[in-house]
C-alpha cells in the first residue's frame, strides 16, 4: 500500500492511499513429456539422461517478459537395473523462485531376449573303429551385447574330453552358448562308430 499524506496550498489536509497487489507468475510445466519405454541391452550401453524443457508461457494472459519461466533440466537416473533386466527411472525436477516444484518421471524397462548366434557347428561323423577320427572343433558364438560368449559341450557317453576315444555306437555331443543375460543357444552333432571286422564276404560295418 502506498499512502500520500499532505495538504493543499490553502493548508487543507490531503490524504490518498493506493494498494498494489503483485501476483506470482503462473507455474511452469514440462513440455513434450517423455513416455515410459523399454530398451534392449545394446541400446543400454549408450544410454544417457536427456534434457526436458519447461515453460509457463502457455498459461500467461499476455507476453509479460518478467513473468516468463522457461528453461530445461537434465534427467537423473535411478533404480535397480543392469543391461539384462530391471527398471530404470529418469526423473526431471525443477523448482522456481517461488519454491514451486514440478516433477516428471519416466519408467524405462531393460531387457535382453536375444540369444547368442552359433557358427560352424560340426557336422555328424560316421566312421569305422579302425579309421582315424578327425578332430572335433567346437563352434563359436557371438552375441548382440557380449563381446565374448563361452561355448560348453557335453558328450552323451560321459567323456570329459571332447576328443577322447569314441567307442563303437552312437554318441551325441551338445554344444551350448550362454550370454551374460543367460540367454542360450545350442547345436548338436552325432558321432557314429562302427566296429570293423573281416568275414568271408569281406569287411563289414557292425555297430
Amino acid at each position: 500500500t502506498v499512502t500520500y499524506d499532505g495538504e493543499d496550498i490553502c493548508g487543507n489536509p490531503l490524504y490518498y492511499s493506493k494498494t498494489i497487489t503483485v501476483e506470482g507468475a503462473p507455474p511452469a510445466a514440462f513440455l513434450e513429456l517423455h513416455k515410459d519405454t523399454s530398451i534392449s541391452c545394446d541400446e543400454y550401453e549408450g544410454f544417457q539422461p536427456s534434457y526436458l524443457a519447461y515453460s509457463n508461457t502457455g498459461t500467461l494472459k499476455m507476453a509479460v517478459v518478467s513473468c516468463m519461466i522457461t528453461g530445461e533440466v537434465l534427467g537423473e537416473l535411478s533404480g535397480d537395473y543392469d543391461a539384462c533386466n530391471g527398471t530404470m527411472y529418469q526423473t526431471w525436477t525443477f523448482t522456481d523462485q517461488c519454491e514451486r516444484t514440478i516433477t516428471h518421471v519416466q519408467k524405462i524397462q531393460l531387457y535382453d531376449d536375444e540369444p547368442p548366434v552359433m557358427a560352424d557347428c560340426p557336422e555328424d561323423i560316421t566312421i569305422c573303429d579302425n579309421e582315424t577320427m578327425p578332430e572335433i572343433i567346437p563352434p563359436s558364438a557371438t552375441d548382440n551385447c557380449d563381446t565374448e560368449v563361452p561355448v560348453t559341450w557335453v558328450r552323451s557317453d560321459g567323456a570329459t574330453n571332447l576328443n577322447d576315444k569314441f567307442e563303437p555306437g552312437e554318441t551325441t555331443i551338445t554344444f551350448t552358448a550362454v550370454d551374460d543375460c543367460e540367454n542360450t543357444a545350442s547345436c548338436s552333432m552325432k558321432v557314429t562308430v562302427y566296429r570293423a571286422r573281416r568275414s568271408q564276404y569281406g569287411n563289414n560295418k557292425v555297430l
Side-chain angles (χ1 to χ4, degrees):
T1 300
V2 180
T3 301
Y4 301 92
D5 192 3
E7 57 183 28
D8 62 17
I9 58 175
C10 297
N12 298 310
L14 295 175
Y15 176 82
Y16 174 75
S17 68
K18 179 180 181 181
T19 300
I20 301 173
T21 301
V22 179
E23 296 181 353
F30 285 119
L31 310 175
E32 300 181 2
L33 299 180
H34 294 238
K35 297 180 179 180
D36 294 346
T37 187
S38 298
I39 60 174
S40 62
C41 63
D42 44 355
E43 295 173 302
Y44 165 76
E45 295 300 327
F47 186 85
Q48 296 292 331
S50 58
Y51 284 92
L52 185 60
Y54 58 84
S55 175
N56 71 340
T57 55
T59 57
L60 285 175
K61 296 180 180 179
M62 60 184 69
V64 182
V65 175
S66 60
C67 292
M68 289 184 180
I69 303 174
T70 59
E72 60 181 11
V73 291
L74 182 64
E76 295 184 358
L77 302 181
S78 63
D80 183 12
Y81 59 89
D82 56 26
C84 298
N85 54 51
T87 303
M88 175 194 300
Y89 298 95
Q90 182 169 200
T91 303
W92 295 269
T93 302
F94 168 70
T95 301
D96 65 17
Q97 294 181 348
C98 299
E99 300 298 324
R100 297 173 298 190
T101 298
I102 56 174
T103 302
H104 176 64
V105 180
Q106 179 190 35
K107 180 180 178 181
I108 305 169
Q109 192 70 38
L110 287 96
Y111 69 93
D112 177 15
D113 57 3
E114 188 170 336
V117 177
M118 303 189 72
D120 302 320
C121 194
E123 296 182 355
D124 294 345
I125 296 174
T126 299
I127 198 170
C128 287
D129 63 358
N130 62 352
E131 297 177 312
T132 301
M133 173 68 69
E135 181 183 6
I136 299 174
I137 299 175
S140 60
T142 57
D143 187 70
N144 62 320
C145 291
D146 299 340
T147 56
E148 295 184 5
V149 182
V151 177
T152 59
W153 54 267
V154 175
R155 279 178 45 163
S156 60
D157 60 0
T160 56
N161 292 306
L162 180 59
N163 285 286
D164 277 353
K165 181 180 178 180
F166 289 85
E167 298 297 333
E170 186 177 272
T171 302
T172 299
I173 306 175
T174 302
F175 301 95
T176 302
V178 183
D179 67 16
D180 286 344
C181 296
E182 299 184 356
N183 297 305
T184 63
S186 63
C187 66
S188 62
M189 64 173 295
K190 290 182 179 180
V191 177
T192 303
V193 178
Y194 290 96
R195 183 179 291 106
R197 70 182 182 184
R198 183 175 297 279
S199 71
Q200 59 180 334
Y201 302 105
N203 289 335
N204 292 329
K205 293 180 178 178
V206 181
L207 278 175

